[in-house]
């Protein structure tokens, strides 16, 4: 099932590759949940879904709690009168100003489908500032939201930095990490890059955390671009690499294949993955016996 939100870096396109590498476990932890593409297309008994985007986690909690009633409320914003530049900027302002968390959650869905490229971007004061997207008839993802709501009954959603969510892992858990990508061109000692406040230091910290959890017998699968840098910091992991068709330049004209890496950190001597996280209906992940 496709996620109901458009989300930069979402992993829907490569979900089968990820499913093949995910070991079975009693709970899947995602410190970088984003749109939840992996959560939606795996079958673990329970999930801990975290992200440091507070608007995202706020939305997931309303959807989890209120389901169809909340979906109907979100739908009220998807009317032709709200699909023009002037109204978009009014509603964006309302989103930024309101203290009503339920309204903010519904407006986040509206903005995601009406803004430019579904881009979730904030200015330095933390205000959502993506411009109007000019879509003829924005799609309301009712079916996708219903699916998410049902599945969310076995999930816990927390707004946390990845270091905090990884510290919550226990033996029996499996962790899937999908951080903001390193740049495709980066070398082993890159220093200057920082997207969403996620630079080389954070990437290294994350790899170190993954090593620590693996040493405690908790497997961690990490996604990223396949670069000299990721090959270096993921040196202790078992690596799978493949090409993914995607738009590389920001205007979408320059399409090509980007090399993607999946790095599995696990205790020495632990067996190979048994397709634990395969898409539902194919090879379900069962609790470790
Ligand atoms: C590549 S996206 C994850 C995409 C997700 N796997 C999907 O399929 O939609 C990376 C996510 O990491 C979150 N993020 C960035 N820095 C973070 C941090 N320090 N701690 C936790 N989450 C963070 C972003 O909000 C974003 O949702």
């Amino acid at each position: 099932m496709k996620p109901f939100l458009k989300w930069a870096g979402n992993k829907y396109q490569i979900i089968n590759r990820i499913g093949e590498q995910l070991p079975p476990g009693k709970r899947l932890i995602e410190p970088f949940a984003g749109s939840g593409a992996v959560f939606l297309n795996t079958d673990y008994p329970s999930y801990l879904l975290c992200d440091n985007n507070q608007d995202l986690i706020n939305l997931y909690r309303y959807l989890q709690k209120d389901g169809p009633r909340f979906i109907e409320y979100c739908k009220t914003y998807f009317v032709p009168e709200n699909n023009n530049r002037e109204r978009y900027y009014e509603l964006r302002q309302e989103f930024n100003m309101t203290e009503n968390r339920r309204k903010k959650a519904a407006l986040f869905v509206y903005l995601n489908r009406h803004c430019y490229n579904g881009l979730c971007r904030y200015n330095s004061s933390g205000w959502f500032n993506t411009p109007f997207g000019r879509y003829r008839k924005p799609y309301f993802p009712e079916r996708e939201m219903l699916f998410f709501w049902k599945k969310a009954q076995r999930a816990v959603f927390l707004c946390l930095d990845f270091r905090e969510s990884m510290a919550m892992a226990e033996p029996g858990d499996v962790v899937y990490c999908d951080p903001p990508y390193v740049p495709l061109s980066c070398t082993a000692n890159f220093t200057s890059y920082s997207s969403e406040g996620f630079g080389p230091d954070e990437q290294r910290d994350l790899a170190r955390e993954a090593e620590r959890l693996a040493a405690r017998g908790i497997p961690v699968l990490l996604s990223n671009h396949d670069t000299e840098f990721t090959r270096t910091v993921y040196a202790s992991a078992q690596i799978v690499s493949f090409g993914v068709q995607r738009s590389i330049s920001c205007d979408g004209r320059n399409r090509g294949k980007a090399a993607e890496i999946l790095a599995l950190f696990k205790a020495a001597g632990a067996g190979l993955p048994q397709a634990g996280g395969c898409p539902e209906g194919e090879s379900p992940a069962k609790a470790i016996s």
Side-chain angles (χ1 to χ4, degrees):
M1 172 61 74
K2 268 193 169 173
F4 69 91
L5 291 174
K6 296 185 187 177
W7 207 254
N10 100 73
K11 293 296 176 293
Y12 183 67
Q13 210 189 337
I14 60 163
I15 194 64
N16 289 334
R17 298 274 196 169
I18 294 168
E20 281 163 19
Q21 295 303 314
L22 276 173
K26 61 179 165 57
R27 177 173 70 160
L28 182 70
I29 300 181
E30 286 198 61
F32 305 89
S35 65
V38 174
F39 154 62
L40 292 167
N41 293 287
T42 52
D43 192 15
Y44 286 86
S46 69
Y47 291 85
L48 173 59
L49 302 175
C50 306
D51 200 285
N52 72 348
N53 184 319
Q54 168 171 322
D55 295 326
L56 182 73
I57 298 299
N58 179 52
L59 163 60
Y60 288 164
R61 285 186 169 166
Y62 275 104
L63 180 55
Q64 179 187 42
K65 187 161 67 79
D66 289 350
R69 216 153 26 117
F70 177 70
I71 296 171
E72 282 309 307
Y73 171 50
C74 292
K75 202 196 252 178
T76 62
Y77 287 103
F78 283 66
V79 289
E81 305 87 272
N82 285 341
N83 189 27
N84 60 69
R85 181 175 296 272
E86 200 186 7
R87 191 66 186 130
Y88 172 83
Y89 287 109
E90 274 172 19
L91 288 171
R92 192 179 80 174
Q93 171 89 338
E94 235 175 282
F95 171 82
N96 282 321
M97 302 301 284
T98 187
E99 292 190 356
N100 177 332
R101 302 187 67 78
R102 185 166 183 262
K103 183 181 206 173
K104 200 167 174 92
L107 282 171
F108 195 63
V109 181
Y110 164 84
L111 291 175
N112 181 262
R113 291 278 166 178
H114 290 73
C115 74
Y116 180 75
N117 269 350
L119 200 68
C120 184
R121 196 185 68 185
Y122 300 89
N123 66 15
S124 54
S125 312
W127 289 35
F128 188 93
N129 71 352
T130 313
F132 182 52
R134 292 178 43 197
Y135 295 104
R136 201 177 55 79
K137 192 174 185 294
Y139 171 67
F140 181 68
E142 181 161 5
R143 202 172 65 90
E144 293 82 354
M145 287 181 85
L146 271 170
F147 186 91
F148 192 107
W149 162 60
K150 287 183 189 147
K151 189 105 190 234
Q153 303 314 308
R154 28 172 158 150
V156 168
F157 298 96
L158 296 176
C159 179
L160 295 176
D161 179 76
F162 72 91
R163 297 166 190 92
E164 300 170 290
S165 50
M166 289 179 88
M168 294 172 78
E170 291 165 4
D173 289 336
V174 173
V175 182
Y176 170 64
C177 291
D178 185 18
Y181 280 120
V182 300
L184 267 171
S185 57
C186 77
T187 56
N189 54 359
F190 90 108
T191 48
S192 59
Y193 162 80
S194 175
S195 139
E196 303 167 43
F198 212 93
D201 291 344
E202 286 73 20
Q203 299 284 0
R204 285 194 191 91
D205 275 2
L206 175 59
R208 265 194 297 268
E209 281 305 316
E211 281 171 2
R212 267 197 281 271
L213 291 186
R216 287 174 52 209
I218 303 166
V220 179
L221 184 67
L222 237 149
S223 280
N224 217 319
H225 280 145
D226 188 355
T227 66
E228 200 185 314
F229 176 81
T230 50
R231 289 272 173 171
T232 307
V233 296
Y234 303 161
S236 69
Q238 176 187 296
I239 303 290
V240 172
S241 174
F242 50 92
V244 179
Q245 195 70 40
R246 62 177 65 212
S247 121
I248 296 175
S249 75
C250 47
D251 66 6
R253 272 179 298 179
N254 201 359
R255 300 184 75 82
K257 276 205 165 182
E260 192 95 16
I261 202 170
L262 286 172
L264 181 63
F265 293 79
K266 59 183 174 53
L272 289 168
Q274 294 159 23
C278 266
E280 282 186 19
E282 288 181 23
S283 176
K286 295 290 180 210
I288 292 172
S289 52

